[in-house]
Amino acid sequence: MAQCKGTVVLAYSGGLDTSCILVWLKEQGYDVIAYLANIGQKEDFEAARKKALALGAKKVYIEDVSREFVESFIWPAVQANALYEDRYLLGTALARPCIARGLVGIAQQERAPYIAHGATGKGNDQVRFELSCYALCPKIKVVAPWRLPEFYQRFPGRRELMDYAKKHGIPVPVTPQTPWSMDENLMHISYEAGILENPKVIDHGSHGAGGVSCIRSLIGNFTAGPPVCVPVKVTNTGDGATRSSALELFVYLNDIAGKHGVGRIDIVENRFVGMKSRGIYETPAGTILYHAHLDIEAFTMDREVRKIKQGLSLKFSELVYNGFWHSPECEFLRECIGRSQEPVVGTVRLSVFKGHVYILGRESPRSLYNEELVSMNVQGDYEPADATGFININSLRLKEYHRLQSKVTVKQDE
């Protein structure tokens, strides 16, 4: 029997890896407390509790943090129009600091000196979990089995892990015929590994498709304190159904958009650790809100402010993807982006159909759109003759550049 090493709080999912890790940690002499965060995944949480206890967990904590996930993590990403490498809406990256917050909270409550996770040594999640945990509790110690030679040499692949599970009576949902990894939360479902590691393999997963569903979203002030733009209501103009609370609204949009296959992408991305990886993501509600917010922001935000904010959004997305949610620079960016959202209030009308989101119209009391000023039928407070001087001034730089280029070309020809 291994000597007792103390208590470790394990980020537990109930799947193959963390179930085997729970048993392995006990073999190493740890008292294991399992922590399972409910962030909207379709999970039998009571079955997961019983499984963890049957495998030897000293305690099991299951926390519903789904509302916190939406309000404290997803909403800031919506405000930022966060998009990693032009396509990925950061579903997993946003979930990890939320889970880590709960994980550290239980470790502090239980006076546990260790936390553990099942993230692999090649992926992003190990970085995200650990940077968040160290930021929230600098003295915490991390046990990362997939980075320990005694673990990964014993389990070089899924086959060895499944053999270990069979030997120890661990029921697992993964079989050799379906050896891919799936991660699910309110924001998205991701698929990777296994046969998907070959970027040429076509994913044959199916998703819903049906008739048109029209959605009207009201975006305005939602929380107390400084004004911030977050979704506050969604109305289905087809049946009149309305959702107003953050969690209900997001779940409803997931259902509507998911039926139409909205938000499904198959990409190759650059992991923070340096390698490229292939991932398949389904982000229904997040995709609708990305397009709705982008539209109302363009309608209400000053052009030059928006240019600066786009740069901030790019950096924010990179920081979140790389695991720096709890860094001072990311906190600063969230404050700056939040400040930019004060005028972003209004209603966007849109429809979803066969994987696409179509913006149909928008209105806002803070709109910078001046219909009379832009009209082709009314002159309004604009003097067309002024454009001549505007064009002449802006063309000066171009004239001088090409005048010089002409001289250089002539000399070269000589």
Side-chain angles (χ1 to χ4, degrees):
M1 190 72 178
Q3 183 179 357
C4 183
K5 295 179 179 177
T7 301
V8 59
V9 181
L10 170 65
Y12 181 72
S13 69
L16 174 64
D17 286 33
T18 55
S19 294
C20 290
I21 286 172
L22 194 161
V23 175
W24 184 84
L25 287 169
K26 283 184 59 62
E27 288 182 345
Q28 306 309 302
Y30 292 99
D31 289 328
V32 182
I33 293 175
Y35 174 76
L36 177 55
N38 176 0
I39 48 175
Q41 68 271 40
K42 294 179 177 65
E43 178 82 51
D44 186 337
F45 293 101
E46 190 54 38
R49 181 194 301 276
K50 291 177 180 178
K51 182 177 180 179
L53 291 171
L55 296 177
K58 182 180 177 183
K59 291 183 182 179
V60 179
Y61 285 91
I62 299 176
E63 284 190 326
D64 186 348
V65 294
S66 51
R67 180 177 175 180
E68 176 188 356
F69 181 41
V70 174
E71 295 180 357
S72 299
F73 295 88
I74 294 177
W75 279 178
V78 171
Q79 291 179 338
N81 301 322
L83 204 61
Y84 180 71
E85 295 189 336
D86 304 315
R87 290 187 286 177
Y88 175 42
L89 286 165
L90 300 167
T92 300
L94 289 167
R96 295 311 181 234
C98 181
I99 296 171
R101 183 187 292 181
L103 191 68
V104 167
I106 296 301
Q108 292 173 328
Q109 178 181 321
E110 291 286 339
R111 300 181 183 276
Y114 303 97
I115 62 103
H117 60 77
T120 73
K122 289 185 176 182
N124 296 307
D125 281 345
Q126 58 178 338
V127 183
R128 295 164 179 161
F129 272 128
E130 295 181 37
L131 290 182
S132 291
C133 288
Y134 287 137
L136 296 170
C137 185
K139 293 183 179 180
I140 202 75
K141 298 174 183 176
V142 177
V143 181
W146 282 115
R147 295 207 306 269
L148 299 175
E150 60 267 33
F151 187 87
Y152 65 72
Q153 288 175 3
R154 183 177 178 182
F155 305 110
R158 283 290 189 267
R159 171 65 67 180
E160 290 77 12
L161 211 56
M162 285 187 276
D163 289 344
Y164 180 81
K166 184 177 180 180
K167 178 182 176 182
H168 290 83
I170 304 171
V172 293
V174 179
T175 68
Q177 287 73 40
T178 57
W180 54 72
S181 171
M182 185 184 84
D183 179 68
E184 181 185 12
N185 60 51
L186 272 171
M187 184 68 165
H188 83 174
I189 301 176
S190 67
Y191 304 89
E192 62 180 5
I195 61 172
L196 300 178
E197 288 175 352
N198 183 342
K200 294 188 297 183
V201 170
I202 298 174
D203 167 48
H204 292 287
S206 61
H207 53 77
V212 175
S213 177
C214 294
I215 310 297
R216 184 174 66 187
S217 305
L218 178 65
I219 300 177
N221 295 347
F222 181 74
T223 56
V228 289
C229 167
V230 295
V232 295
K233 185 170 73 171
V234 58
T235 300
N236 187 322
T237 58
D239 59 14
T242 297
R243 301 290 187 277
S244 298
S245 76
L247 185 55
E248 287 182 342
L249 182 156
F250 202 83
V251 169
Y252 182 70
L253 286 180
N254 264 336
D255 180 58
I256 291 291
K259 290 176 180 177
H260 291 269
V262 168
R264 184 183 175 91
I265 60 172
D266 184 331
I267 65 173
V268 172
E269 70 201 61
N270 288 295
R271 287 181 180 171
F272 187 30
V273 295
M275 65 188 76
K276 292 184 183 292
S277 67
R278 190 257 190 108
I280 295 168
Y281 302 105
E282 297 177 7
T283 317
T287 300
I288 279 186
L289 293 174
Y290 173 83
H291 288 288
H293 179 265
L294 198 63
D295 187 80
I296 201 68
E297 187 176 78
F299 193 49
T300 57
M301 186 179 286
D302 175 77
R303 181 185 71 179
E304 297 305 314
V305 172
R306 189 161 182 262
K307 285 180 183 178
I308 295 171
K309 192 258 182 178
Q310 285 175 309
L312 298 179
S313 298
L314 188 66
K315 184 61 178 178
F316 172 82
S317 302
E318 179 185 291
L319 289 172
V320 173
Y321 184 87
N322 292 343
F324 289 92
W325 178 275
H326 292 291
S327 67
E329 63 270 31
C330 195
E331 290 179 0
F332 174 74
L333 283 178
R334 291 199 296 275
E335 288 290 327
C336 291
I337 291 170
R339 173 67 176 79
S340 77
Q341 298 299 290
E342 291 184 13
V344 187
V345 179
T347 302
V348 179
R349 188 183 178 101
L350 55 85
S351 68
V352 292
F353 183 61
K354 292 188 176 181
H356 295 282
V357 178
Y358 299 94
I359 302 295
L360 305 178
R362 78 286 297 158
E363 60 180 321
S364 170
R366 300 292 298 272
S367 166
L368 291 176
Y369 183 89
N370 185 328
E371 189 173 350
E372 183 181 89
L373 184 63
V374 79
S375 175
M376 301 295 289
N377 298 315
V378 181
Q379 185 166 315
D381 189 20
Y382 181 78
E383 181 55 61
D386 291 343
T388 302
F390 177 79
I391 294 169
N392 286 338
I393 292 297
N394 277 280
S395 70
L396 181 61
R397 176 176 58 90
L398 304 180
K399 291 176 181 177
E400 288 302 296
Y401 172 78
H402 287 285
R403 180 180 62 79
L404 176 61
Q405 291 300 106
S406 298
K407 287 183 177 181
V408 171
T409 303
V410 170
K411 287 183 179 180
Q412 289 177 343
D413 290 342
E414 292 174 353

